[in-house]
Amino acid sequence: MDQRATTDVQVGPLNGLRVVDFSNSPAGAQASLTLADFGADVVMVEPAGGSRLRSMPSFPFIARGKKSVVLDLHGERGLDRARRLALGADVLIETFRPGVMEARGLGYESLRGQNAGLVYASVTGFGRTGPYAGAKGYESLIMARIGALWASKGMVSREGPAHVSVPYCSFGASQLLLVGMLAALHERASSGLGQRVETSLVKGVAAMGTWNWYLRVVTSKYPDAFTPAAPISDAGVPLSPMFFMLLIGLAKDGRWLQFSQVQPHLYVAMLKAMGLDWMLGDDEWKGAAFAADPDKNGEFWDRLITAVQARSLAEWQEVFEQNHDVWAETMRRGCELLDHPQIQHLGAVVELDDLERGPVRQPGPIAQLSATPAVLHDSAPCLDANGDELRVSPWPMKTSPSPIDGGPSRALGDVVVLELGTFFAAPFGGTILRELGARVIKVEPIEGEPMRNLLPFPEVGAAKVMQGKESIAVDLSSKEGRAIVHELARRSDVVLQSFRAGVAERQGVDSATLRALN
């Protein structure tokens, strides 16, 4: 449904939650942004002169709805005030190197004795232990040290890795931190106790890898059967059909497109739109269409690139409108994302008046809640906007709760998730919930989750979205299959689905139907 963030006098679902954010990097700030969007009272602790985040173009976005207080964490008075804020908080977020907060008397062990309900959330560069624990956690340094920039070497003509400006580490870490904090708050409702939540920039970028790790495991475990190989040849020709299916090409008018045709019928539809489908039945070319003919792969690749260049973006859009089995995403520059047709359709762009910048268009809340939507009142705060109030009257100290017996042994141990839908994004969300203790029941079509057979080695393509879950294969188009899913929904706490628009309604597993049952 089209549920926009409200801007009148309402409170969000996290109203009453107190968050003190010491973040000096986007990973923590973006996580606390979501808490603020949904009603939490979030205080940014900044040094004199302001956080370095203020120099970022995204600051009006990542700091909206928050308060600002300037505290000198190198001085006794500033540390005392920071500590008093932490002792009155439900959540503390910090993104310093390991040991920095401990040296200032603001470490988890130092605070938990007086605020037992505190959820203490940290993002480090490489983790709290290991040879790189003390290294500076700069985004590019992380990417370089773990070899992630090597994956982009095909983007440049010279030898060696390619620098990537997209903050994959920070975004991934912010989402892992957010899930961890919410899971810890859920568990606190049972135990009465907070806990430490940790992630790292390395985990943030690793979370976005789909199957590279599993390919390494397979080639290491079965060296006589499988030999590791680069995905792209020295001549720049892909050595895997996946690159053909996920084709990236330059349109006639200079706009980059990425196709996503990872099912056989979708791949055939793309080749047909390009006038190349005849090659699938031609003895000379059918192997090259699946990267299985070294002598022809390069020429086939050139034909794909040439086919993309034969049309402008507008002409490709006409193709997509006429054939919904063919599509590509446009690589957008800067704020062009805010004009994405789907973003506009969902009403997911908001405009807030910023005291220093005037009206600022920016992404809306990360999720749409039908009953308790996000409430966006304010843009980013001016430096120390709430300093006088918070330095004189910080939050009152939290009373230490009494532990409650009988709580779950894991953060989400009392949660049952029914997972509908296929491919990576939503099912990987289910994997994260499973790792935090939830019971996840995956409903698959009779032929199985398509990712199971995406790569030649069985299950490698689906390992990351299947691990730890229970599976049941049903035919949702049948009355019996729908009855099974309806019964599972009655016993579940969460339904996670990722079908295309209209599919859930046709299958009888849409939100209205399942919520009527539960």
Side-chain angles (χ1 to χ4, degrees):
M1 64 184 298
D2 183 6
Q3 179 61 59
R4 293 170 172 80
T6 60
T7 55
D8 51 1
V9 181
Q10 295 185 12
V11 295
L14 298 182
N15 180 51
L17 189 75
R18 295 173 177 172
V19 181
V20 56
D21 187 359
F22 292 93
S23 296
N24 61 350
S25 70
Q30 188 152 332
S32 65
L33 159 70
T34 300
L35 301 181
D37 279 354
F38 288 96
D41 190 3
V42 179
V43 173
M44 298 169 47
V45 176
E46 304 188 66
S51 168
R52 67 186 187 189
L53 297 172
R54 288 186 174 270
S55 64
M56 297 175 57
S58 61
F59 182 76
F61 164 59
I62 63 174
R64 70 181 177 208
K66 301 178 184 179
K67 297 177 179 179
S68 170
V69 58
V70 170
L71 296 176
D72 179 9
L73 298 185
H74 298 283
E76 185 175 339
R77 178 176 295 182
L79 283 173
D80 178 66
R81 287 169 172 166
R83 185 177 180 84
R84 290 169 66 189
L85 274 175
L87 293 179
D90 297 287
V91 176
L92 182 150
I93 301 174
E94 61 92 11
T95 56
F96 297 108
R97 279 182 287 170
V100 171
M101 291 291 277
E102 286 78 5
R104 293 171 176 171
L106 296 172
Y108 174 60
E109 296 298 334
S110 176
L111 297 173
R112 66 185 296 211
Q114 293 178 271
N115 185 359
L118 181 65
V119 173
Y120 193 103
S122 301
V123 179
T124 59
F126 295 92
R128 295 178 61 83
T129 60
Y132 296 137
K136 293 183 178 180
Y138 299 135
E139 183 96 17
S140 295
L141 177 62
I142 303 290
M143 296 282 280
R145 281 190 182 271
I146 67 172
L149 300 182
W150 171 85
S152 301
K153 70 173 185 176
M155 297 174 61
V156 294
S157 56
R158 57 161 173 77
E159 288 294 321
H163 174 72
V164 177
S165 61
V166 179
Y168 289 116
C169 299
S170 295
F171 180 77
S174 74
Q175 301 311 297
L176 295 178
L177 188 72
L178 180 63
V179 174
M181 289 189 296
L182 294 175
L185 288 169
H186 172 82
E187 193 280 333
R188 189 179 72 165
S190 298
S191 70
L193 300 174
Q195 57 185 296
R196 164 167 267 167
V197 175
E198 292 185 75
T199 192
S200 67
L201 296 183
V202 169
K203 288 184 178 180
V205 68
M208 297 186 183
T210 49
W211 49 65
N212 287 351
W213 169 252
Y214 297 97
L215 289 176
R216 181 177 177 85
V217 170
V218 168
T219 56
S220 299
K221 189 171 183 178
Y222 306 106
D224 295 334
F226 299 97
T227 302
I232 299 175
S233 73
D234 293 338
V237 178
L239 301 176
S240 166
M242 195 58 59
F243 284 88
F244 296 166
M245 297 175 180
L246 295 172
L247 174 65
I248 297 175
L250 192 65
K252 184 167 60 177
D253 53 353
R255 299 310 301 263
W256 286 96
L257 299 177
Q258 173 155 21
F259 291 78
S260 182
Q261 313 294 129
V262 293
Q263 286 291 279
H265 71 285
L266 300 178
Y267 183 48
V268 171
M270 181 187 77
L271 293 180
K272 184 176 182 179
M274 293 176 171
L276 301 176
D277 55 316
W278 64 269
M279 303 176 87
L280 296 172
D282 188 280
D283 290 339
E284 183 180 0
W285 289 101
K286 61 184 180 182
F290 294 95
D293 187 340
D295 296 329
K296 292 288 188 180
N297 289 348
E299 189 175 345
F300 180 78
W301 176 247
D302 289 340
R303 291 194 182 208
L304 288 176
I305 297 299
T306 301
V308 179
Q309 293 175 340
R311 292 184 173 99
S312 66
L313 173 60
E315 290 169 334
W316 273 115
Q317 293 288 4
E318 292 181 11
V319 173
F320 304 151
E321 289 294 331
Q322 294 166 7
N323 187 347
H324 292 176
D325 282 341
V326 183
W327 75 281
E329 187 56 82
T330 308
M331 296 189 181
R332 289 171 165 80
R333 308 181 184 103
C335 292
E336 285 183 342
L337 175 64
L338 300 180
D339 297 317
H340 189 292
Q342 188 67 16
I343 298 291
Q344 291 289 321
H345 170 73
L346 294 173
V349 177
V350 298
E351 184 175 286
L352 295 177
D353 288 324
D354 189 275
L355 293 175
E356 297 179 346
R357 303 165 186 84
V360 178
R361 290 178 74 227
Q362 53 196 274
I366 199 170
Q368 301 168 348
L369 277 65
S370 60
T372 54
V375 182
L376 308 185
H377 290 306
D378 304 306
S379 187
C382 294
L383 181 62
D384 204 38
N386 310 94
D388 292 343
E389 167 199 350
L390 291 170
R391 280 189 293 269
V392 174
S393 302
W395 292 323
M397 185 181 297
K398 289 282 184 178
T399 56
S400 296
S402 300
I404 301 171
D405 294 331
S409 59
R410 301 182 69 186
L412 300 182
D414 58 343
V415 175
V416 178
V417 179
L418 179 62
E419 182 185 299
L420 309 173
T422 56
F423 282 97
F424 196 82
F428 181 53
T431 295
I432 294 176
L433 298 180
R434 173 67 191 114
E435 289 178 353
L436 291 169
R439 179 187 181 190
V440 180
I441 303 170
K442 182 174 180 61
V443 176
E444 302 187 56
I446 296 298
E447 61 275 15
E449 159 70 57
M451 288 194 74
R452 287 183 182 273
N453 301 309
L454 200 58
L455 295 177
F457 192 91
E459 304 295 350
V460 167
K464 200 166 185 177
V465 298
M466 297 297 297
Q467 57 191 25
K469 301 177 183 178
E470 300 170 51
S471 171
I472 178 172
V474 302
D475 179 4
L476 271 177
S477 64
S478 69
K479 183 177 179 180
E480 179 187 16
R482 285 193 297 272
I484 292 171
V485 172
H486 288 175
E487 182 58 33
L488 289 171
R490 289 189 180 94
R491 308 181 188 191
S492 299
D493 302 291
V494 176
V495 173
L496 176 63
Q497 72 95 352
S498 59
F499 297 127
R500 286 187 291 177
V503 173
E505 287 79 4
R506 290 198 301 271
Q507 303 282 21
V509 293
D510 55 288
S511 173
T513 299
L514 298 187
R515 291 179 65 240
L517 296 171
N518 183 353

